[in-house]
Amino acid sequence: MNFLDSEKLETILLKNGFEKVDNPEDADVLIVNSCSVRKHAEDRAFGYLNSLKFLKNRGKIFCLYGCTANIYGSQIIEKYPFIDVVCGPNKIRESPKILKEALNGEKIVCVGESDNPFIEDLINVGGKISASISITKGCNNFCSYCVVPFGRGRLMSRSPQSIIDEIKRLVDKGIKEIILLGQNVNEYGKDIGTDFVSLLEKIHQIDGILRIRFLTSHPKDVPEKLILSFRDLPKLCKHFHLPLQSGSDRILKLMNRKYTVSHYLGIVEKVREVCPDITITSDIIVGFPTESEKDFLQTYKIVENVKFDELFVFKYSPRPKTSASKLPDDVGKEEKERRHRLIYNLQQKITEQINKNYIGKIVEVLVEKESYKKKGYFIGKTHNKKTVLFRKEGNVKIGDIVNVEILNSSIHFLSGRICVK
Ligand code: 5AD
Ligand code: SF4
């Protein structure tokens, strides 16, 4: 979502007479678009701005964008007086005006909600075949560890017509795959009297779209209808990212996740029953306050049993304004690292084994780009999000769908050769 925000900001500024330069030393305005989901990301944003502070005496404008801007607002300028502009993710549209004022010497803090946070038709697709679009902004769930409701504000859904119109324009520019983004896409439409599956069905009817993906889903909001969509909507990619966060019901309760482990496992079972070749990926947080060895081992066991295709494992870090930040952060740094390592290593083995099972199979791949590392090779993805590397052959080009026979596998990708019909 942050990458998409950066793309939108870039497009708005380019349309309004700003120019992009490669070197910070050549810029009049320096913008860092921050993520604040984990402390590490936030530290990096401030660290980067700090590392460029020496350029300040050459009259540059320093700007902090992103969730961090919304969370701390004017405190940022008080703490870092060399920063001139603080702008939250709902206010990107106002950037040309804000930056012009800042260039005239004003300090500006522009945060909070907006009546129209969605920026339409701004992506510079530049030869790509896949584009992301936001269908909701913000989140009302208040998982106890999560800063997003404070960084991005309340849930707001974009109208189906505006989404469909943008997708049609993207198709005209050569886009074949659409990735629908939202903090919890399953809640799409709650505020405007519609729902996510109805939106998927409408998008599915658009000519020229070959693939539809979406991110992220919350296990408390997965209706049967969505599970059946994986079977009934052929363009809907067979990849389901469903963050589990913890395998302990006690910790899930403290996280305010509003589901139990057995509910989660029930979804996985149904999804696999309806769609056996689906890829399921997840997020796990280790070291949440009070997480005992027993809680951790429950998570470990679930990861061992479910066999996710891929797993993102995070060490808990307290975030400002969240309710969990009021609990003692009582799992030590080294213990968090140990738990992280154990789950990470387990998952590496699982992913390696799952990918090995593809050897000898023929998979359908959407050709995405040329490989930078391996001259004469293409990179593409299967429906279920496996990355495939294969040699260019015949007149195959980016945007085509080809059959590839898998000859080799690793943790990160599969490789093979195009099947000649
Ligand atoms: N500490 C660690 N990980 C976190 N995540 C969100 N907030 C925190 C936090 N405070 C993780 C969750 C979420 C992913 C995007 O980041 O696993 O699903
Ligand atoms: Fe954060 Fe929970 Fe909302 Fe996801 S659903 S963005 S984890 S509050």
Side-chain angles (χ1 to χ4, degrees), residues 139-143 145-149 183-184 187 218 245 257:
C139 181
N140 295 348
N141 286 317
F142 294 94
C143 299
Y145 52 80
C146 183
V147 80
V148 168
Q183 304 299 338
N184 173 14
E187 283 182 292
H218 192 309
Q245 310 299 5
R257 289 289 284 174

Side-chain angles (χ1 to χ4, degrees), residues 194-360:
T194 179
D195 67 84
F196 182 53
V197 176
S198 308
L199 178 71
L200 279 179
E201 287 166 352
K202 286 195 187 105
I203 295 174
H204 200 266
Q205 288 169 14
I206 300 176
D207 285 337
I209 278 296
L210 301 181
R211 289 181 171 185
I212 306 164
R213 300 186 185 277
F214 63 82
L215 281 173
T216 289
S217 293
H218 192 309
K220 77 174 169 60
D221 299 309
V222 179
E224 173 101 9
K225 213 171 139 193
L226 178 64
I227 298 178
L228 295 178
S229 306
F230 284 116
R231 182 193 67 193
D232 299 338
L233 300 178
K235 294 179 183 177
L236 182 62
C237 288
K238 289 158 187 47
H239 169 222
F240 198 23
H241 184 66
L242 193 64
L244 168 65
Q245 310 299 5
S246 171
S248 151
D249 281 339
R250 192 183 71 83
I251 296 292
L252 285 178
K253 199 155 197 249
L254 285 176
M255 287 176 164
N256 192 30
R257 289 289 284 174
K258 302 192 178 92
Y259 55 85
T260 59
V261 175
S262 93
H263 172 79
Y264 184 95
L265 295 177
I267 299 174
V268 170
E269 199 182 314
K270 268 192 228 149
V271 171
R272 285 185 169 154
E273 199 180 295
V274 164
C275 187
D277 61 340
I278 197 158
T279 285
I280 302 181
T281 57
S282 197
D283 294 345
I284 294 281
I285 299 176
V286 294
F288 185 83
T290 78
E291 186 188 68
S292 64
E293 185 65 9
K294 186 174 152 222
D295 295 314
F296 167 70
L297 288 175
Q298 285 174 346
T299 305
Y300 189 91
K301 262 260 144 333
I302 299 288
V303 172
E304 203 167 31
N305 292 339
V306 171
K307 298 202 170 27
F308 296 109
D309 287 76
E310 208 180 338
L311 188 64
F312 301 91
V313 193
F314 304 105
K315 287 171 266 182
Y316 171 74
S317 63
R319 305 307 299 124
K321 304 190 179 181
T322 61
S323 58
S325 68
K326 291 169 190 96
L327 300 170
D329 183 16
D330 57 358
V331 180
K333 189 168 177 280
E334 277 170 23
E335 185 55 24
K336 279 183 190 159
E337 264 155 26
R338 184 186 74 92
R339 292 179 189 179
H340 181 274
R341 198 173 49 245
L342 284 170
I343 298 226
Y344 180 85
N345 288 344
L346 170 64
Q347 184 58 44
Q348 294 280 93
K349 283 199 207 109
I350 294 170
T351 305
E352 194 174 8
Q353 189 51 52
I354 291 176
N355 288 354
K356 245 190 205 145
N357 293 340
Y358 278 85
I359 296 179

Side-chain angles (χ1 to χ4, degrees), residues 17-249:
F18 287 79
E19 247 177 76
K20 191 178 167 184
V21 291
D22 292 329
N23 190 340
E25 301 199 6
D26 301 328
D28 298 314
V29 180
L30 285 160
I31 302 175
V32 171
N33 188 19
S34 64
C35 166
S36 57
V37 126
R38 286 171 296 277
K39 183 161 187 312
H40 180 63
E42 189 179 297
D43 291 347
R44 277 177 53 200
F46 285 113
Y48 184 61
L49 276 170
N50 258 322
S51 76
L52 296 172
K53 204 166 117 184
F54 74 99
L55 295 171
K56 186 69 192 176
N57 54 13
R58 297 186 208 162
K60 292 183 196 302
I61 302 300
F62 279 64
C63 312
L64 184 77
Y65 273 64
C67 297
T68 316
N70 243 10
I71 293 160
Y72 301 107
S74 56
Q75 287 172 20
I76 294 172
I77 295 186
E78 283 157 28
K79 191 163 173 203
Y80 303 93
F82 67 96
I83 295 181
D84 305 283
V85 172
V86 172
C87 180
N90 299 327
K91 302 280 188 176
I92 292 178
R93 190 187 283 278
E94 293 175 40
S95 295
K97 183 171 142 271
I98 296 171
L99 296 184
K100 277 173 199 154
E101 284 166 9
L103 284 163
N104 283 331
E106 283 181 50
K107 291 260 179 195
I108 295 171
V109 177
C110 190
V111 292
E113 297 283 359
S114 153
D115 291 343
N116 185 7
F118 299 109
I119 295 164
E120 291 150 32
D121 199 26
L122 285 164
I123 300 166
N124 182 5
V125 293
K128 285 191 292 179
I129 54 143
S130 177
S132 302
I133 82 167
S134 310
I135 60 166
T136 63
K137 77 102 199 142
C139 181
N140 295 348
N141 286 317
F142 294 94
C143 299
S144 67
Y145 52 80
C146 183
V147 80
V148 168
F150 307 98
R152 291 187 175 267
R154 297 294 78 78
L155 174 80
M156 198 185 216
S157 304
R158 186 169 164 187
S159 79
Q161 199 52 51
S162 139
I163 295 171
I164 286 161
D165 290 347
E166 182 173 355
I167 295 178
K168 285 186 177 159
R169 287 192 293 266
L170 288 167
V171 171
D172 288 343
K173 290 182 188 167
I175 291 297
K176 310 251 187 231
E177 177 183 83
I178 284 291
I179 307 170
L180 306 172
L181 294 183
Q183 304 299 338
N184 173 14
V185 288
N186 306 38
E187 283 182 292
Y188 172 80
K190 262 189 174 176
D191 53 328
I192 53 169
T194 179
D195 67 84
F196 182 53
V197 176
S198 308
L199 178 71
L200 279 179
E201 287 166 352
K202 286 195 187 105
I203 295 174
H204 200 266
Q205 288 169 14
I206 300 176
D207 285 337
I209 278 296
L210 301 181
R211 289 181 171 185
I212 306 164
R213 300 186 185 277
F214 63 82
L215 281 173
T216 289
S217 293
H218 192 309
K220 77 174 169 60
D221 299 309
V222 179
E224 173 101 9
K225 213 171 139 193
L226 178 64
I227 298 178
L228 295 178
S229 306
F230 284 116
R231 182 193 67 193
D232 299 338
L233 300 178
K235 294 179 183 177
L236 182 62
C237 288
K238 289 158 187 47
H239 169 222
F240 198 23
H241 184 66
L242 193 64
L244 168 65
Q245 310 299 5
S246 171
S248 151
D249 281 339

